[in-house]
Amino acid sequence: MFGLGLPEMGIVAVVAILIFGPKKIPELGNALGKTLRSFKEGVGQSEDEAVEKEKEEEGQPKV
């Protein structure tokens, strides 16, 4: 995962706990998950719109 091994991920986790505190980590994870889900949905919608636009352009005669 991004070239990080278990020791490196452990160090990152310890630093995150020291900076944010153990009570804030789940809230940050939840917010990150919602953000990624929203981004993924937005990208999926834009891809759907692009496909629909291509289909519309194929159906119209070229000038």
Side-chain angles (χ1 to χ4, degrees):
M1 183 165 130
F2 304 113
L4 294 177
L6 191 57
E8 290 87 0
M9 289 176 31
I11 292 171
V12 169
V14 169
V15 170
I17 290 172
L18 290 174
I19 292 174
F20 298 111
K23 293 183 181 179
K24 194 73 172 174
I25 297 291
E27 294 174 16
L28 292 172
N30 189 13
L32 179 63
K34 287 180 181 179
T35 302
L36 290 175
R37 190 176 313 119
S38 174
F39 179 75
K40 185 177 178 180
E41 289 173 1
V43 168
Q45 287 176 356
S46 66
E47 288 177 355
D48 291 342
E49 291 172 0
V51 169
E52 288 177 13
K53 186 176 180 181
E54 287 178 10
K55 286 181 181 179
E56 288 175 4
E57 290 175 356
E58 288 176 359
Q60 295 180 3
K62 295 183 180 178
V63 180

